[in-house]
Amino acid sequence: MVKKLVLTLALVAMTASPTLAKTIVFATDATWPPMEFVNADKKITGLAVDLMEAAGKEAGFTPEFKAVAWDGIFAGLAAGKYDAICSSVTITDERKNTMDFSTPYMKVRQALVIPKKSAAKCIEDLKGKTLGAQISTTGHFAVKKTEGVKDKSYDEVGLAFEDLYNGRIDGVVCDDPVAKLYALKKDNYKDALKIACIIPADDELYGVAVQKGNKETLELINKGLAAVTAKGLDKEILKKWLGTAE
């Protein structure tokens, strides 16, 4: 009788316990505010972090974020050092050759930031000038393909803005949410910098990258993103970080 009672209690406890959620480790280059960055409490935070946490609650996975430098982030994924990359990665045909992507979660464009005193209207007015961008980003690609412009690459976009503010370069090209934060909201910079233009090009789509063939992780992430969108949680997160749900 005692054995039966113990067994019954054990079965009840197992039934009452929630299923252990799968942990997905996301690599992120936490130098890209407001998307992914380290806050004053030394915690990785931002729009994309909130989005993955919301997706995790909906799909039953626990997101864990790992700070990884951009220049090695894709190699780390290929080597299996983490499960996914959530770091404002633009989905491109070239990248799709070596990794799989989630459904897109955000649309962005490339913006040119210049000093307020500059008369340049857009990138073609800066021939002979030096433009900065974070290395191997789509902003960097845009600078490199612009004729007559000198390109200077940086490990972090914040270093490019520091050089722009101090007059060492003539402009910075980066994703428009990041450009808006530095040029319109960041102390010191907002009084000295402006967005000259959105560079004419196709819109870019952010996606979460996983290793080729990692269907289990990809399906969980997509399930979470779909639920977040269906409930309108994505619009709440966008409004929190960007001031607009569009």
Side-chain angles (χ1 to χ4, degrees):
M1 179 65 72
V2 173
K3 287 183 178 180
K4 287 184 178 179
L5 178 60
V6 171
L7 180 60
T8 300
L9 290 173
L11 289 171
V12 169
M14 288 172 66
T15 303
S17 299
T19 303
L20 291 176
K22 173 184 172 66
T23 296
I24 298 179
V25 179
F26 293 92
T28 184
D29 174 25
T31 63
W32 201 248
M35 300 304 301
E36 311 93 13
F37 63 101
V38 177
N39 65 16
D41 297 323
K42 307 299 182 185
K43 180 182 177 182
I44 297 174
T45 188
L47 189 158
V49 173
D50 280 2
L51 188 66
M52 284 304 107
E53 288 179 342
K57 288 179 182 178
E58 296 299 325
F61 67 82
T62 301
E64 180 181 311
F65 300 94
K66 180 178 182 179
V68 179
W70 180 258
D71 62 357
I73 204 166
F74 297 115
L77 179 67
K81 293 182 178 179
Y82 27 82
D83 303 304
I85 302 171
C86 183
S87 194
S88 300
V89 180
T90 297
I91 301 170
T92 67
D93 289 338
E94 183 179 358
R95 287 172 177 165
K96 285 193 288 186
N97 288 331
T98 57
M99 62 196 82
D100 290 333
F101 281 95
S102 69
T103 51
Y105 63 84
M106 190 170 167
K107 183 190 298 182
V108 298
R109 297 172 294 174
Q110 292 305 308
L112 170 65
V113 180
I114 59 175
K116 281 190 172 180
K117 62 184 180 181
S118 174
K121 299 296 183 184
C122 207
I123 197 165
E124 61 270 12
D125 298 323
L126 292 170
K127 289 184 178 179
K129 304 292 185 180
T130 300
L131 298 182
Q134 184 164 327
I135 191 168
S136 297
T137 60
T138 45
H140 189 212
F141 301 154
V143 173
K144 291 202 295 183
K145 75 178 184 181
T146 302
E147 291 185 13
V149 168
K150 301 172 187 175
D151 111 78
K152 184 172 182 180
S153 62
Y154 295 83
D155 290 334
E156 298 178 12
V157 73
L159 299 176
F161 277 105
E162 183 178 330
D163 271 4
L164 177 60
Y165 177 73
N166 288 300
R168 290 189 282 265
I169 59 175
D170 303 291
V172 172
V173 177
C174 62
D175 298 353
D176 60 321
V178 179
K180 289 172 184 175
L181 183 140
Y182 276 96
L184 305 179
K185 297 180 181 179
K186 203 167 183 68
D187 290 343
N188 298 330
Y189 293 168
K190 66 183 180 181
D191 295 325
L193 306 178
K194 65 181 179 181
I195 296 176
C197 70
I198 299 297
I199 297 173
D202 293 336
D203 290 337
E204 299 178 15
L205 298 173
Y206 285 162
V208 178
V210 302
Q211 275 190 328
K212 272 284 186 186
N214 188 350
K215 293 182 179 179
E216 180 186 0
T217 298
L218 194 62
E219 286 173 1
L220 268 178
I221 293 169
N222 281 338
K223 179 181 178 181
L225 287 173
V228 165
T229 300
K231 292 184 177 182
L233 300 175
D234 56 334
K235 294 188 182 298
E236 293 177 14
I237 293 168
L238 286 169
K239 190 166 185 180
K240 171 186 173 181
W241 289 101
L242 303 181
T244 176
E246 299 300 328

